[in-house]
DNA sequence: GATGAATGAGTATTCATTCAT
DNA sequence: GATGAATGAATACTCATTCAT
């Protein structure tokens, strides 16, 4: 017997949504875990199994693997943004900036999934504009504040923070198995180079990416992801 | 000057027929191109197609993917070593060091395959020790010279050079499509941090990898290698 | 009567969906047919084609070729054991023995896959011990009964039954295309030699395989199995 | 400068022939060794390597793998025929017959290559008529003599010897690794069944293959060979 | 909605056979 | 004639994605 719901009766719908939402979250959690352990190449079957749902369910929530990775990425961006905003409130602008970099690098050092996500997942397009819109204001503010206080070299730009993060993540990723704290070393090195120009220290020889270039890059992605498994038949050429 | 022989140096190996040598070279060239563009995960079918030969031909020259990658690797190591040795002769130790870093970072920034090759030896161990034996002396000399001249911070070690170029190149690769020279920016940033300690510049908070740890890392690889295709049936777990 | 469970008896395993069960059966049927016709070297693609399903489906039900072969093997062992047990109940011990030999030789003569299956377990060890545990008691009883009744030469042992059926079936298979019943001729010849010692009939000059040797042989396989396809990269030497 | 040979000047030709003959023999020897060790699935590259010649040379002497196997087979048949003929001269016809069977079985027990050759190489067509023409007379004589002397059951025929040999080879092959002498046991069993009919011993229930059927069978081969590697593209269906 | 079954293109590697040197 | 280089179809197995239950 079919019950035709009144136009405003959304209780059934709500229930499903709650159910669906629970599954969505389970999948995201499992994906973070599995991708962290096995790398982004882990199969969605594995993710589904870890989530305790069928693959079909994963696909119902995320149209394809790319979208799932993207969603994971967005959540991470949100966290990073929150931290960046917190860092903007720090009494000392330099400390704020550095503590943000430390936060970001430290997170990555602990979490291979996050590292991969930030470094290698150039899948997806939506996530790019999202990340840009989301993080840019905080980044700009973080940099500007420190420069205005004369504590940061003036040729540094907001987009540099992304790449700096990327660099540190690379180091962290590389040596995580034997020296989980090695990122501190390389971050310190970089931070040392961030101080305002002094004697014997040259200006940065090339301009930073501007914001459009960064967008463009995020869409094209580095080579690191080109090896990623593509849907059958999707091979170029 | 002692020449360290490649692990499988069969220099006594009978010369290949002209056509065979031509094809061998074609395969190496194609492999360099394809791995550079798609990463080491590219299939040998793809390499063969790019070389304009059948897969069988690739397998005739290189018994498996690993060997092909290794051959590529060996050539690159030799080039880098040669450059490092040249850099040791530079009149100014600082300039020598920096010019080597520029050479290495520049090469690696443009070629993801090379980066993977040099940093993530998922394949074989012989070639890792080869690389280590081959490059290490020059690296040590490069660093020592600059430190003895008081031009380089004293807490920097030879293994850092490897990680620094890796970091810079990886970050830069990300943006390589729009700004192929962006690596210069980030290398400059780091180079600025390499100057001897001054006021406001802290010592590096964690020790560098020692040479055994580096070996270990090269064998284990960072997460970035987890995606590397394994021989069928070799999957862990 | 104790029931010896199959090595991987997952009888608790949740029932397959109707369609899945149908396909599983299709695959088993096709495999029996294809392996019977082409030998165990037939590819799973061929099996899949014969079953009218994709290879993926075969692999969904049986994680690898070995498992498929094993499943087939298990069913066959069960059938043979049932027959052997039936034969133990025959009023006349001699007739019981002979009728079992006829059953086994007849089955094996018509089906090369079955023969390879029963005799050359290049695959797995569990199933060998399963077969041993399952069939041995009946074999021993069959032989003992006939000997106790003075109807069977006393130097025959249980393991001989296996070799006898194998020999007869293999020889007969050779001629099976023109004379599917030729195995009867050679079985009869051998059965004649099974009668208790009489004048002009010598004792068997070498001891039978003992049960451990038989196990060992099944695991190592005769030369006939050398041709068996091995997993890629598993080649000896 | 080309020397046009006088019509009867065959010295150059002879030289080549001698050379060629030497290579041919080398290949045959190597093939016997390699197939014996690795089974008939061993590659021709392996055979060529063992023979110390190039694959091309193998192919020059034998148009394909089948022909090489066939040639090997012929040599074996010649040896067996010689022995059979010797056996015909034995003073006691029964002893002659039995000693021939022992010779054949003993050879096979020691030589896996020979076993495979006789049991599994149904490749080839020429070899069949050859074998028939070559061996049949001796087989017939061997059987007839023993029957005429009343020492052999009268329902045995010449073609049975081939299948009996096959049976014993099967047993030898099966257990050769643990018990190289087990063939004696099964040959003895069979030989016991060859004695003239006595009480309790039934007539053979099916006629032997006649000579045409045997031909036919040798052409079709048993299933055991169906798994043999076929030339690419030669797959049925 | 959720499930998990089915699909098939893709991967590394081998080997019979042909053909340029 | 001999050599060994080149070819490509074939094999076992995996996994993103679609679709029947």
């Amino acid at each position: 017997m079919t019950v035709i719901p009144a136009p405003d009766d959304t209780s059934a719908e709500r229930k499903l949504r709650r159910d669906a939402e629970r599954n969505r979250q389970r999948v995201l959690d499992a994906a973070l875990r599995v991708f962290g352990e096995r790398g982004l190449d882990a199969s969605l079957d594995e993710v589904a199994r870890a989530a305790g749902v069928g693959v079909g369910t994963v696909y119902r929530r995320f149209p394809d693997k790319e979208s799932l990775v993207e969603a994971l990425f967005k959540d991470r961006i949100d966290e990073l943004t929150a931290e960046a905003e917190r860092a903007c409130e720090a009494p000392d602008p330099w400390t704020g900036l550095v503590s943000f970099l430390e936060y970001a690098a430290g997170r990555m050092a602990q979490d291979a999934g996050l590292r991969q996500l930030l470094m290698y997942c150039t899948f997806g397009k939506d996530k790019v504009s999202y990340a840009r819109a989301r993080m840019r204001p905080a980044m700009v503010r973080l940099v500007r504040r420190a420069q205005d206080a004369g504590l940061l070299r003036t040729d540094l730009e907001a987009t540099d923070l992304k790449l700096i993060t990327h660099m540190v993540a690379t180091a962290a990723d590389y040596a995580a198995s034997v020296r989980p704290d090695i990122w501190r070393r390389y971050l310190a090195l970089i931070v040392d180079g961030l101080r305002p120009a002094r004697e014997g220290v040259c200006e940065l020889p090339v301009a930073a990416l501007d914001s459009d270039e960064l967008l463009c890059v995020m869409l094209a992605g580095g080579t690191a992801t080109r090896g990623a498994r593509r849907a059958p038949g999707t091979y170029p050429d």
Side-chain angles (χ1 to χ4, degrees), chain A:
Chain A
M1 195 197 297
T2 326
V3 173
I4 296 167
D8 58 342
D9 177 6
T10 46
S11 83
E13 199 176 289
R14 274 230 180 89
K15 182 120 157 302
L16 284 176
R17 266 204 213 131
R18 210 168 307 142
D19 222 54
E21 188 46 41
R22 178 170 46 71
N23 275 344
R24 195 189 125 92
Q25 202 50 55
R26 271 196 196 172
V27 168
L28 282 170
D29 293 349
L32 197 57
R33 204 161 59 245
V34 169
F35 288 148
E37 281 163 19
R38 298 241 192 287
L40 287 182
D41 278 0
S43 78
L44 289 199
D45 269 13
E46 219 166 340
V47 170
R49 201 160 33 228
V53 304
V55 238
T57 305
V58 175
Y59 274 90
R60 170 161 290 276
R61 294 299 149 224
F62 305 93
D64 55 14
K65 194 177 183 176
E66 188 171 324
S67 309
L68 171 56
V69 169
E70 214 172 286
L72 244 25
F73 180 85
K74 281 189 183 164
D75 287 354
R76 266 7 87 191
I77 291 294
D78 287 346
E79 289 169 13
L80 279 180
T81 304
E83 183 62 24
E85 280 161 357
R86 222 178 341 272
C88 285
E89 311 303 329
D92 175 34
W94 172 255
T95 310
L97 176 65
V98 170
S99 73
F100 168 71
L101 290 174
E102 278 177 343
Y103 170 82
R107 285 275 319 219
M108 284 192 242
Q110 285 160 35
D111 182 341
L114 175 55
R115 243 148 42 210
Q116 286 233 320
L117 225 44
L118 292 177
M119 295 168 55
Y120 302 110
C121 89
T122 4
F123 294 90
K125 332 217 132 165
D126 288 353
K127 78 155 203 285
V128 171
S129 17
Y130 180 80
R132 190 157 84 129
R134 202 78 176 74
M135 298 205 70
R136 183 147 177 88
M139 297 295 114
V140 169
R141 233 178 315 145
L142 219 41
V143 167
R144 189 85 31 101
R145 266 179 96 218
Q147 284 170 334
D148 289 349
L151 298 167
L152 177 64
R153 51 195 304 166
T154 53
D155 51 2
L156 200 88
E157 306 199 11
T159 59
D160 289 325
L161 296 189
K162 163 112 191 124
L163 282 272
I164 286 173
T165 309
H166 200 146
M167 282 200 290
V168 176
T170 302
D173 186 54
Y174 190 66
S177 61
V178 288
R179 292 283 300 279
D181 55 355
I182 197 77
W183 62 272
R184 293 187 183 279
R185 183 173 180 88
Y186 297 105
L187 181 57
L189 206 56
I190 290 172
V191 163
D192 275 0
L194 295 182
R195 290 298 196 172
R198 297 134 307 172
E199 201 190 343
V201 163
C202 55
E203 274 194 23
L204 295 179
V206 191
L209 296 178
D210 67 33
S211 164
D212 283 335
E213 283 171 328
L214 187 55
L215 173 62
C216 180
V217 158
M218 293 184 79
L219 291 173
T223 346
T225 54
R226 298 228 183 100
R229 188 167 275 281
R230 270 164 288 256
T234 329
Y235 279 79
D237 186 24

